[in-house]
Amino acid sequence: YRFIARIVDRVFRWMGDRDPDFYTATHQFTTANSERFNREVSDSPMVYYQSYMSQMKGGASDGLLALTYYLIRPLEGANDGLVSLPSAVWGEFRGVFASTKRRGISHGDMIDLKREDYKGFRVLETYVQIVSDLRQMGF
């Protein structure tokens, strides 16, 4: 895993991250660490929590996250290359973003890593809609 993490770090460094640490970052989000965090840090009643999920249709959806997609899939099923559906649900779950085309929507797509839109999914418009929904709810 450390070998794979070093390869991912090289890719992120090439993309502009000055100090990538994929190994540490991914270990912070393991099931055990997440369960510990959730026990130690309570949700605030002053905060509205909502979650969304994106879903890759296969490794070809995102070459950068293909390996992690295939590692997660047999263990937890549908995922976005980093997060499985069961792990993504927090607060009010608002739904899964999935392309109507052959290509799925990866975690990298959701954070606009590549700065491009895809047929059936427009990144910026998705975030504008989320903000609009929050405004309609009174936030």
Side-chain angles (χ1 to χ4, degrees):
Y1 188 76
R2 288 184 189 273
F3 173 75
I4 292 168
R6 283 193 298 272
I7 293 171
V8 173
D9 284 346
R10 283 187 194 132
V11 172
F12 284 133
R13 201 172 287 112
W14 176 78
M15 294 177 75
D17 189 335
R18 293 182 185 163
D19 191 25
D21 190 355
F22 186 80
Y23 182 84
T24 300
T26 55
H27 273 81
Q28 289 173 338
F29 296 110
T30 62
T31 301
N33 282 335
S34 296
E35 288 171 350
R36 182 176 41 79
F37 176 86
N38 291 337
R39 279 193 311 275
E40 295 173 0
V41 180
S42 301
D43 286 352
S44 170
M46 303 293 291
V47 175
Y48 170 71
Y49 296 90
Q50 69 177 8
S51 57
Y52 292 86
M53 173 71 189
S54 63
Q55 182 176 341
M56 291 172 60
K57 291 186 177 178
S61 294
D62 190 321
L64 183 61
L65 296 174
L67 178 62
T68 50
Y69 168 83
Y70 286 119
L71 291 172
I72 295 168
R73 186 166 169 74
L75 299 171
E76 297 190 42
N79 70 85
D80 66 0
L82 286 181
V83 180
S84 68
L85 180 57
S87 296
V89 175
W90 195 263
E92 182 177 340
F93 184 66
R94 303 294 306 271
V96 177
F97 293 110
S99 173
T100 57
K101 305 299 180 191
R102 291 186 314 164
R103 188 190 186 293
I105 307 300
S106 75
H107 192 91
D109 299 331
M110 290 304 298
I111 64 169
D112 205 15
L113 185 64
K114 297 177 200 157
R115 305 278 193 254
E116 60 187 25
D117 289 324
Y118 309 95
K119 290 181 181 179
F121 180 73
R122 299 184 61 84
V123 179
L124 294 178
E125 286 80 0
T126 298
Y127 282 105
V128 168
Q129 185 61 54
I130 290 170
V131 171
S132 177
D133 292 347
L134 287 168
R135 184 171 185 217
Q136 288 179 358
M137 288 187 260
F139 295 103

